[in-house]
Amino acid sequence: KAGVTQTPRYLIKTRGQQVTLSCSPISGHRSVSWYQQTPGQGLQFLFEYFSETQRNKGNFPGRFSGRQFSNSRSEMNVSTLELGDSALYLCASKPGTSGDEQYFGPGTRLTVT
Amino acid sequence: QQQVKQSPQSLIVQKGGISIINCAYENTAFDYFPWYQQFPGKGPALLIAIRPDVSEKKEGRFTISFNKSAKQFSLHIMDSQPGDSATYFCAASKGEKLTFGTGTRLTIIP
């Protein structure tokens, strides 16, 4: 099976702009989670979607949002970008109905200037 | 509030030696404890995981030891190889949200 794919891999945006990141989970996986990775804060949970519904949400401001489509693909949106949003954004998928193994994609490296 | 504490921050081990990374957690509701390995420019890769009903799990050169009463778990890498040089993260979860440790940068020297 193909792994989790994320697009784009790299992105440079200007402060105040918005950005949309995309994630395609492993075939058959219905749960998609998003994480932010920074040198200072480490890996932090953003939110998780299952069957197009947000099941869990981390402690991030409302500028961070997401959605999931009927084919389980997910998008994450960040509006009004701030310099501190520069990070590696990781998507992880799992079957969703049994087991807890989450498999991560390669991430999208977002740089805000 | 950091719920998973990981140590050491960095570790240098000679080739063939044993690498040991430790984690401690606070939330007794956690019921799943995975370890991830991350190489530069890559996403974390699931290495091995354990549930609190067992005290040890071994897969190849990798072993998790789990102490429920002390709320601690550790990763042991036997016969460490240069290819094991990476950053290792412990994590804990109850449900879908993974709470990660701060990571350990492991370097294996010849």
Side-chain angles (χ1 to χ4, degrees), chain B residues 48-61:
Chain B
I48 187 172
I50 198 169
R51 296 190 184 277
D53 53 344
V54 297
S55 59
E56 186 174 282
K57 182 175 181 180
K58 183 176 180 180
E59 289 184 2
R61 297 185 294 111

Side-chain angles (χ1 to χ4, degrees), chain B residues 59-79:
Chain B
E59 289 184 2
R61 297 185 294 111
F62 301 94
T63 300
I64 298 180
S65 297
F66 187 84
N67 186 328
K68 188 175 181 178
S69 60
K71 294 188 287 186
Q72 295 175 345
F73 58 111
S74 59
L75 175 70
H76 291 63
I77 306 175
M78 312 299 288
D79 187 27

Side-chain angles (χ1 to χ4, degrees), chain A residues 14-45:
Chain A
T14 303
R15 192 170 49 183
Q17 289 185 315
Q18 75 159 12
V19 67
T20 299
L21 312 181
S22 181
C23 170
S24 292
I26 292 171
S27 177
H29 286 194
R30 296 165 62 191
S31 167
V32 173
S33 296
W34 288 90
Y35 291 83
Q36 181 196 64
Q37 185 174 25
T38 60
Q41 299 298 317
L43 281 149
Q44 292 186 291
F45 173 78

Side-chain angles (χ1 to χ4, degrees), chain A residues 74-89:
Chain A
S74 177
E75 287 183 348
M76 187 193 113
N77 184 275
V78 188
S79 62
T80 319
L81 284 166
E82 300 177 359
L83 296 179
D85 297 333
S86 294
L88 180 66
Y89 289 89

Side-chain angles (χ1 to χ4, degrees), chain B residues 7 12 14 17 36 41 61 71 83:
Chain B
S7 64
I12 299 175
Q14 209 148 23
Y36 284 86
R61 297 185 294 111
K71 294 188 287 186

